[in-house]
Amino acid sequence: MEARLKGTASPELIEGITKLYRVIHSGGVEGRLLSLVHLRVSQINGCSPCVFASVASAKKAGETDERLHHVVAWRETSFFTDEERAALALAEAATRIQDGAPGVTDEIWDHAADHFTGEQLNAITMEIALTNFFNRINHTIREQAGKTW
């Protein structure tokens, strides 16, 4: 399967995405947690380039293989903190809207709000949205894991 787009993105597009990343990463959420959120959203969407990138990013931030292998089954393990569980639940609920799931319920949002400030919730929400954005682009253009990341 060949990627559908050749060439590079416009400088304006790269600048805009770079600004979004700066805002997300200045929101007071640890980089490791943002990588876990990115990984879980990408797993749900089946986006191999983003799974590849989020694992590499998480490892650079000090994440362990054991935890990375269990993100897909985070509910069934003891490897994650309550804060991480709240972020992963939010990520799943915000991503699985096409599955007919109820989306982000008050219970899910309130649980996340118990663990994060408003600024941190904004950063996590933007990480979820931006990951879904990239997942869909990669799916559309048939980007392959490890090719350009």
Side-chain angles (χ1 to χ4, degrees):
M1 187 171 10
E2 187 176 324
R4 292 182 176 185
L5 291 181
K6 304 280 188 218
T8 59
S10 72
E12 294 84 7
L13 178 62
I14 299 299
E15 181 182 342
I17 291 168
T18 300
K19 286 180 181 180
L20 283 172
Y21 271 117
R22 274 193 224 124
V23 170
I24 291 167
H25 288 276
S26 68
V29 179
E30 186 180 1
R32 282 178 19 158
L33 179 54
L34 291 174
S35 292
L36 293 177
V37 166
H38 187 92
L39 176 58
R40 187 63 193 122
V41 170
S42 298
Q43 288 171 334
I44 292 166
N45 290 326
C47 182
S48 67
C50 286
V51 167
F52 182 88
S54 57
V55 167
S57 175
K59 283 184 162 194
K60 284 181 187 174
E63 194 54 80
T64 66
D65 286 336
E66 184 175 56
R67 283 170 40 97
L68 289 170
H69 288 298
H70 288 88
V71 168
V72 71
W74 62 270
R75 285 183 178 86
E76 288 79 34
T77 71
S78 60
F79 299 129
F80 302 98
T81 66
D82 287 342
E83 179 180 77
E84 291 165 337
R85 291 174 182 282
L88 291 169
L90 180 62
E92 286 187 2
T95 299
R96 287 206 154 124
I97 56 176
Q98 78 282 359
D99 294 346
V104 180
T105 63
D106 289 342
E107 180 183 358
I108 291 169
W109 183 263
D110 292 344
H111 185 62
D114 288 343
H115 294 280
F116 300 102
T117 66
E119 184 178 20
Q120 290 171 322
L121 278 172
N122 287 339
I124 293 168
T125 301
M126 287 303 302
E127 179 67 27
I128 295 164
L130 195 57
T131 302
N132 275 290
F133 170 79
F134 280 119
N135 291 169
R136 280 149 180 79
I137 289 173
N138 287 330
H139 181 76
T140 300
I141 66 172
R142 297 183 179 167
E143 186 64 45
Q144 297 294 298
K147 295 283 185 177
T148 58
W149 295 97

